[in-house]
Amino acid sequence: MAAGTLMYEILLVRIFAIEQFYHFAYMAIGVAMLGFGAAGTLLTLVGRLETARADRWFGRSAALTAFALIAAPAVADRIGVDPTQLAWNFAQWPRLGLVYLLLALPFGVGALPVLLGLGLAGRRPGRIYGASFLGSGAGALLATGVLWQMPPLEALAIPAVLAGAGAVAAGRAPPRTPGVTALAAVAMLVGLAAAVWPPWRLDITPYKALPQVEAFPDAVRLAERSAPLGWTRSAPLGWTVAVEAPAFRHAPGLSLSYRGEFPPQLALMVDGDIVGAASRFESDSAALALTDWLPSALPYALGPPRRVLVLNDGGGTEAWNALAHGAGRVTAVELVPHVVELTQAYAPFSSTAGRRVSWAVADARSLVARVPESFDVVSIGPAGGPGSAVAGVHALGEDFAHTVEAYVRYLQILTDGGVLAVTRWLSVPPRANVRVILTAAEALRRVSPGGVTQGLLVVRSWGTATTLIKPAGFTPGDVAALHQWAVDRRFDLDWAPGLDAPESAFHRLDEPTLFRAAQAAVAGRQAATRFAAAYPFWVAPATDDRPYPHHFLRGGSLRSFMTSDQGDWLPFAEWGYVALVATMVQSVVLAGLCLLLPTVVRTRSRVGLQLLPVIAYFGALGVAYLAAEIVAIQQLSLLLGHPVYAVVAVLTALLIGSGLGSMWSDRVPAGLGWRAAAALALLLSMCAVTVLPLVHRFQGAPLAARCAVAAVVLAPLAFVMGMPFALGLRRLAGDDTVRLAWAWAANGFASVVAAPLAALIALQAGARTLWLVAAVAYGAAVALYRAAPPARVPPA
């Protein structure tokens, strides 16, 4: 059961990410936790269960889970919901609520066998709760393996097969129930049929690039590849699609004065979002002249480089850019292996050019941490398309490629006189490029304190802005060459050493924002901080502790946006942040209603004062566990150098480790349970100050060493995290099924709120604060454990 429902949760995250955007992943987590909590609410309404009745419903609920895993998504798929209309179309809200409840149904039914098993376990709940953890860990591994072999749409049927197998085992266990076994076998067959003929469809929002490009005349989908867990650009091993369309053009910021040829291109998309384009250039092609009219070609105006490092080069355009400008050797880094595969198949480099280019399928931060050579140019192109940059749909995505620590490392691997070039999409008012300027200045202060005044230069086109950072400083000759290059292509020079005012002759902004940002940045850290604090958007440099360089909306600004005239705020709102806030509000309301339901329906179930500490204790555990899980995934993705490795490693290690700890807890006296929570509060407090320095210290180490460090961090945490719940059940619930149900419901509903709340805390305050929040929640659990009255415990 646990393996099937956890796999279902991961697959919902994948499908939500493909159909909508990454921020809907938190909705999938909320759906799961709501279902788990609702199982506890149902049991509180039923009241005390006799053993025989619990035995009968144990097998029945297991079989029903298998059917629910097929029926719920199939019915939900028939309900048309457009989340992008939630801001102005009230009719979408009840539809969204109905979908929410339908998708939560399998989790609620799937939790019942575990909850009933805990009630039947008597004085040894740890083995049942531990088994559910172990099953969930197996489900995480299975989900990852299945997604390597089949698309998410077909894979969504596999959880029903797993749950059906569990129900068969439940039906054959004493007392045998042949009807349950037969029902479960039918459910398995239905699941296998659904894997071949899915009763649901993939309905991608029209605001993503894939449906837009496929709507072009004569567009053809040439290939698609599937891999697990591709939620954002920061975790992009997802569903990769290649589309060829004669009308498709991808050349970020291309000069409007360019009149030359355009090469045939293949649009490359991951989870429906554009990540780049493979262009069929040839070494002697006239279309290759296009690269000299891209803003990202700015650093090559200083002369032909010997070695160039291109980071996140989806499609190879920037590699061709370097080659066209005389680079002797180019290293192109791309995290998505399928993007590299499709690029090489559609637009392979010629034999001459190919000898000068080497591809590295790797995470940018992991590669630069251990690269042994230096480069004349390190180039980072704009990711995705301009629409996603403006809408802020990636605001919640962790991205360690644009933090202060990342820029410091890029500058450290430059040769003497080398240049870091960062090109980002331009929005109005400017946001991303303002942050790049402030981040570059802070990184320069750390690498070359005296080089900030002379080390920055900013050039802007109609759609992008390129910031050059040169630790050695730009000479007057450099500035003159770069200025002439920009003027020739009708680009604007917004900042250069010695510039008294921006030269906005071609693409005028309402305010000289980039000039003012650079002016403050080179004036000193205090001036840069004051500028960032006064700016309407959050543009302070992102750090590895708070790696959200695509998030710009200030929390305090949301109210003013919402109260403005309808439509005025929509171009500036970050849908990721807005959706996260809406998800948290929705979670609080639903969790509160479900907790209050038993007291309204059954007056006998009124929560006495003696039960409030029990509810608060298990609620604190739900908040603490989710917070620790989320922050561990974030921090260890930087260490392991691959988001998929981090997700799989953390989920598997925490779930399996917690399962073993829960089983071990049966040997621990229940009265000592508070010590487990106290130990976790101490361990998590230590993580707040030690994990990030450990990550930085071992980031350049071999993968085996980094895995060992991750194991050292996770193993003690995971084992102890499995103990407080089981020990709490023994001491605070005993054989009282009503108390057990309240404990389960409180833990589940607290987890519903914890997922978006933890994301908001990480976004606003950083990972260290989130570690401490988890520690404080476990600390509160210690006090509540000792204050709560013990329940009647069955004799040994």
Side-chain angles (χ1 to χ4, degrees):
M1 293 299 107
T5 53
L6 197 284
M7 186 177 182
Y8 175 64
E9 180 182 353
I10 290 177
L11 291 171
L12 280 185
V13 170
R14 289 292 303 115
I15 290 173
F16 281 176
I18 293 172
E19 290 189 334
Q20 301 296 329
F21 295 99
Y22 167 72
H23 44 266
F24 283 91
Y26 295 101
M27 185 177 291
I29 297 172
V31 162
M33 296 299 104
L34 178 68
F36 289 143
T41 297
L42 177 63
L43 197 55
T44 61
L45 293 172
V46 172
R48 298 183 183 277
L49 279 178
E50 300 83 6
T51 300
R53 191 180 177 193
D55 275 335
R56 288 196 304 271
W57 277 103
F58 178 79
R60 292 173 184 173
S61 59
L64 289 173
T65 300
F67 281 105
L69 286 167
I70 293 292
V75 175
D77 185 62
R78 302 297 188 270
I79 302 171
V81 179
D82 186 356
T84 60
Q85 296 186 27
L86 292 173
W88 60 83
N89 186 352
F90 181 76
Q92 295 295 324
W93 284 95
R95 293 181 181 181
L96 179 64
L98 182 57
V99 169
Y100 202 96
L101 293 174
L102 279 170
L103 295 179
L105 179 63
F107 295 106
V109 181
L112 282 176
V114 180
L115 191 50
L116 293 170
L118 288 172
L120 295 170
R123 62 194 177 100
R124 298 186 65 188
R127 58 178 178 171
I128 301 297
Y129 194 58
S132 71
F133 266 124
L134 292 175
S136 296
L141 288 174
L142 284 170
T144 307
V146 167
L147 284 170
W148 279 113
Q149 303 301 322
M150 57 198 306
L153 210 62
E154 287 80 359
L156 191 58
I158 304 302
V161 178
L162 288 177
V168 168
R172 296 177 63 84
R176 294 179 180 273
T177 49
V180 168
T181 303
L183 195 63
V186 172
M188 292 178 67
L189 292 175
V190 172
L192 291 172
V196 180
W197 302 286
W200 37 71
R201 65 189 186 280
L202 205 58
D203 189 13
I204 301 175
T205 175
Y207 299 102
K208 281 196 168 185
L210 179 58
Q212 294 174 7
V213 174
E214 289 193 316
F216 289 177
D218 301 320
V220 178
R221 185 181 297 188
L222 295 185
E224 60 182 287
R225 304 285 188 272
S226 184
L229 305 174
W231 299 340
T232 61
R233 181 69 182 175
S234 61
L237 284 189
W239 180 49
T240 305
V241 175
V243 178
E244 187 176 40
F248 173 73
R249 298 287 185 268
H250 185 75
L254 178 68
S255 171
L256 299 179
S257 298
Y258 178 69
R259 296 293 183 269
E261 294 183 19
F262 216 99
Q265 289 188 311
L266 185 72
L268 299 171
M269 280 156 277
V270 173
D271 285 354
D273 269 334
I274 187 108
V275 296
S279 302
R280 282 181 174 163
F281 290 116
E282 298 292 341
S283 299
D284 57 352
S285 171
L288 196 58
L290 173 145
T291 60
D292 195 45
W293 294 77
L294 294 172
S296 55
L298 178 64
Y300 307 120
L302 297 174
R306 290 173 298 164
R307 292 189 298 273
V308 175
L309 176 65
V310 178
L311 302 179
N312 299 329
D313 188 20
T317 299
E318 290 306 315
W320 272 112
N321 197 350
L323 292 174
H325 289 91
R329 186 72 185 169
V330 179
T331 301
V333 182
E334 174 57 51
L335 182 58
V336 189
H338 292 151
V339 168
V340 177
E341 172 199 337
L342 293 172
T343 296
Q344 293 179 330
Y346 178 84
F349 289 96
S350 63
S351 57
T352 303
R355 286 194 292 269
R356 296 157 59 195
V357 177
S358 59
W359 281 96
V361 179
D363 170 67
R365 285 294 299 278
S366 180
L367 183 137
V368 299
R370 61 178 185 272
V371 67
E373 57 185 319
S374 298
F375 300 90
D376 300 304
V377 174
V378 175
S379 176
I380 308 175
S388 61
V390 173
V393 296
H394 298 305
L396 304 184
E398 298 93 353
D399 185 353
F400 292 96
H402 287 283
T403 64
V404 173
E405 294 88 344
Y407 282 23
V408 166
R409 183 53 187 162
Y410 302 153
L411 296 177
Q412 289 173 339
I413 61 173
L414 291 175
T415 57
D416 294 337
V419 177
L420 168 64
V422 182
T423 302
R424 300 292 301 272
W425 288 105
L426 188 67
S427 57
V428 179
R431 282 157 270 178
N433 292 288
V434 173
R435 174 168 286 152
V436 168
I437 291 169
L438 298 178
T439 305
E442 178 59 27
L444 263 176
R445 268 188 283 273
R446 298 187 186 186
V447 174
S448 177
V452 178
T453 304
Q454 301 296 318
L456 280 178
L457 188 139
V458 182
V459 167
R460 176 173 46 84
S461 77
W462 60 270
T464 64
T466 298
T467 301
L468 296 190
I469 307 103
K470 186 177 182 181
F474 293 100
T475 66
D478 292 338
V479 174
L482 293 167
H483 177 254
Q484 188 60 51
W485 184 92
V487 170
D488 290 344
R489 287 153 186 79
R490 303 299 189 266
F491 296 149
D492 295 305
L493 184 64
D494 276 330
W495 180 261
L499 194 68
D500 295 324
E503 297 186 358
S504 300
F506 308 110
H507 310 287
R508 297 181 183 275
L509 294 175
D510 292 338
E511 298 288 339
T513 304
L514 300 185
F515 174 83
R516 292 172 181 171
Q519 190 177 47
V522 302
R525 186 170 290 150
Q526 290 184 348
T529 302
R530 285 195 300 269
F531 177 88
Y535 201 68
F537 295 90
W538 181 59
V539 292
T543 64
D544 284 350
D545 180 61
R546 195 178 173 188
Y548 299 98
H550 311 296
H551 167 61
F552 305 103
L553 185 63
R554 295 183 185 275
S557 303
L558 187 58
R559 181 178 177 182
S560 61
F561 279 134
M562 296 292 286
T563 55
S564 63
D565 293 338
Q566 186 177 19
D568 288 353
W569 61 282
L570 295 179
F572 310 114
E574 293 188 8
W575 288 108
Y577 188 88
V578 173
L580 183 60
V581 172
T583 299
M584 191 180 71
V585 172
Q586 176 182 257
S587 300
V588 170
V589 171
L590 288 174
L593 289 175
C594 290
L595 275 175
L596 290 173
L597 183 62
T599 66
V600 175
V601 175
R602 293 172 60 97
T603 56
R604 289 180 301 165
S605 299
R606 266 201 315 271
V607 183
L609 292 177
Q610 74 279 5
L611 200 53
L612 288 177
V614 177
I615 294 173
Y617 170 77
F618 287 99
L621 294 186
V623 171
Y625 198 101
L626 258 292
E629 181 180 289
I630 288 173
V631 70
I633 290 175
Q634 181 200 100
Q635 296 284 277
L636 293 182
S637 67
L638 178 60
L639 172 67
L640 297 178
H642 205 299
V644 172
Y645 295 163
V647 171
V648 174
V650 174
L651 281 182
T652 304
L654 284 185
L655 293 171
I656 292 178
S658 295
L660 296 174
S662 181
M663 290 179 168
W664 177 264
S665 70
D666 285 338
R667 307 182 183 188
V668 178
L672 301 180
W674 64 271
R675 294 185 178 180
L680 285 168
L682 178 62
L683 286 172
L684 291 167
S685 299
M686 294 171 58
C687 286
V689 297
T690 60
V691 169
L692 194 54
L694 271 175
V695 168
H696 289 154
R697 171 65 180 83
F698 289 95
Q699 196 176 7
L703 180 60
R706 286 179 278 139
C707 289
V709 172
V712 169
V713 172
L714 292 174
L717 276 178
F719 187 81
V720 185
M721 284 169 69
M723 301 176 70
F725 189 94
L727 289 168
L729 288 183
R730 283 170 54 197
R731 182 176 184 273
L732 305 178
D735 62 349
D736 188 337
T737 54
V738 173
R739 280 189 168 224
L740 169 64
W742 275 111
W744 184 274
N747 185 264
F749 293 135
S751 300
V752 172
V753 179
L757 178 62
L760 277 174
I761 292 171
L763 196 66
Q764 298 292 344
R768 287 189 180 92
T769 301
L770 191 53
W771 283 116
L772 292 174
V773 167
V776 169
Y778 275 119
V782 172
L784 292 165
Y785 192 95
R786 304 192 73 174
R792 182 171 62 87
V793 180

